[in-house]
Amino acid sequence: MNTNFDTALSAAHAATAAQNHPTGTLYVVATPIGNLADISLRALHVLSLCDTLACEDTRHSQTLLRAYGIDKQASHWLAVHQHNEAEAAQEVIRRLHAGQRVAYVSDAGTPAVSDPGARLAWQVQSAGLRVIPLPGASSVTSLLSASGTPAPDSSGFVFVGFLPSKATERSHAVEVVSQEPRTQVLLEAPHRIEALATALGALGARHVTIGRELTKQFEEIATVAAQDLSTWLQGHPQRTRGEFALVVHAQPQVLAAGSDNDRLLKILMQELPLKTAVKVAAEISGEAKNALYDRALALKQATSD
């Protein structure tokens, strides 16, 4: 057992043992994407409590659990991955009907986002059985939380995941990305990151935040123009190694100077704080708040000059 987690496992049992963990239930458990300390106390307790550990790769998950001092017998393990998910789900359902607690983990992060698990959860629910999520690490939300946005509001984001590996299909996918005005999250493997960076260059000056080896020792997060992404990768030999998440930032909306919106903003800004003026202007005009906010800042700067 890794001695760094001696007290963590004890704390997990102390903190959550009194909580209800019903039998005949599938627990979808998020695991760390790199830093082992990112496991939750609840996850540790459920992983040690469960009768079956369904996972994407049994060898990988055995190593992970042993790091926390959790050791399961061979009969407790069940492989459920993208190639057998539909069939293996029936075995999970059989075990749930027998009153077992089954925990499902992917190789890293939150299952069923990009990794397998979605079909399993659907089939379990369709069988009238309960699915309980145990939230935790995710490369998607981790990078989104660090990438930021220049706008005061958010129009949400689109999860794209991995683009096609074939050049023609990837180019078409990038074209679709370019036409989506909202923030988008992509994932990529190290052996394809340079090809993706080249393809994303077609987005020009649109900002891209790249997260490499998130939560790990050599984590890097940088925001560059899409057209400069290849140059950034080539800036250091280590930058093409590891796992990648990328945020393609929302397409900025620009309002023309001298429009009716300018007049509306000027009137409102005389009586209201900037953010409130922008909110009211958006409700009146129907324009996007982020575009109005940028224009209001420009007007305020012009007035102070």
Side-chain angles (χ1 to χ4, degrees), residues 88-228:
Q90 297 307 310
E91 175 60 20
V92 170
I93 290 170
R94 186 191 69 78
R95 297 190 186 198
L96 293 174
H97 277 305
Q100 290 193 14
R101 297 180 181 92
V102 178
Y104 178 76
V105 298
S106 60
D107 284 349
T110 302
V113 176
S114 179
D115 300 325
R119 184 179 297 181
L120 172 62
W122 174 261
Q123 290 192 238
V124 168
Q125 289 187 69
S126 298
L129 296 162
R130 189 174 180 184
V131 178
I132 295 180
L134 272 65
S138 166
S139 61
V140 175
T141 53
S142 294
L143 187 59
L144 277 170
S145 68
S147 62
T149 173
D153 63 332
S154 173
S155 56
F157 72 93
V158 177
F159 176 65
V160 178
F162 291 91
L163 296 189
S165 57
K166 293 183 178 179
T168 302
E169 295 176 0
R170 184 171 55 241
S171 296
H172 175 70
V174 170
E175 184 178 347
V176 174
V177 168
S178 70
Q179 295 171 0
E180 170 58 64
R182 291 172 293 178
T183 295
Q184 297 161 86
V185 183
L186 283 62
L187 303 176
E188 195 51 275
H191 65 281
R192 297 195 329 199
I193 188 61
E194 291 181 282
L196 177 62
T198 299
L200 289 178
L203 301 182
R206 192 165 176 177
H207 284 149
V208 174
T209 295
I210 184 168
R212 186 182 76 84
E213 293 288 84
L214 291 173
T215 79
K216 300 177 184 177
Q217 182 179 359
F218 300 108
E219 173 185 86
E220 275 191 278
I221 299 175
T223 300
V224 299
Q227 61 197 12
D228 298 327

Side-chain angles (χ1 to χ4, degrees), residues 225-270:
Q227 61 197 12
D228 298 327
L229 187 54
S230 290
T231 302
W232 183 85
L233 284 174
Q234 294 162 9
H236 194 285
Q238 295 293 330
R239 285 183 177 165
T240 56
R241 300 178 182 178
E243 299 298 323
F244 296 87
L246 302 95
V247 168
V248 178
H249 287 254
Q251 186 69 51
Q253 294 178 295
V254 180
L255 297 179
S259 66
D260 290 341
N261 293 314
D262 278 10
R263 181 171 179 273
L264 177 60
L265 284 168
K266 288 177 180 177
I267 293 172
L268 291 172
M269 288 166 62
Q270 289 176 1

Side-chain angles (χ1 to χ4, degrees), residues 279-300:
K279 181 180 179 181
V280 174
E283 292 173 353
I284 294 173
S285 68
E287 296 282 1
K289 281 196 289 185
N290 54 358
L292 286 167
Y293 185 83
D294 290 341
R295 188 62 195 144
L297 286 177
L299 292 171
K300 185 176 180 179

